[in-house]
Amino acid sequence: MPIWVWFVFAGILVSAVMAVYTARKDQVQEQDWIEEQGQKYMERMLQEQETRSNESSENNEQKDPA
């Protein structure tokens, strides 16, 4: 076999390895981003619950002047 065939074969193998490596790296980065966004969402939900809870208790205090 000519030498250029071996170079082409090596290039295909290197490309395949790099594609798998990059895909895994992307998957890890995407998972980290999803977890970060989920954490931010949960923090906003808790803040909203606290705000509604405080508003509800203030409304109850205003209605019951006892």
Side-chain angles (χ1 to χ4, degrees):
M1 266 198 290
I3 189 94
W4 65 269
V5 174
W6 288 105
F7 285 125
V8 169
F9 184 68
I12 292 170
L13 284 177
V14 169
S15 291
V17 168
M18 291 304 294
V20 170
Y21 171 77
T22 303
R24 287 186 181 169
K25 189 175 177 182
D26 265 354
Q27 188 177 21
V28 168
Q29 286 178 340
E30 186 174 344
Q31 187 65 33
D32 290 344
W33 184 82
I34 290 170
E35 289 176 8
E36 180 183 324
Q37 295 301 314
Q39 192 66 22
K40 288 179 184 178
Y41 178 77
M42 291 303 293
E43 289 173 4
R44 284 185 292 190
M45 291 282 291
L46 290 173
Q47 288 176 350
E48 183 65 25
Q49 282 179 346
E50 290 175 5
T51 302
R52 289 183 182 197
S53 168
N54 289 341
E55 288 175 358
S56 174
S57 65
E58 287 175 2
N59 286 340
N60 287 341
E61 288 175 4
Q62 289 176 357
K63 290 180 182 178
D64 297 331

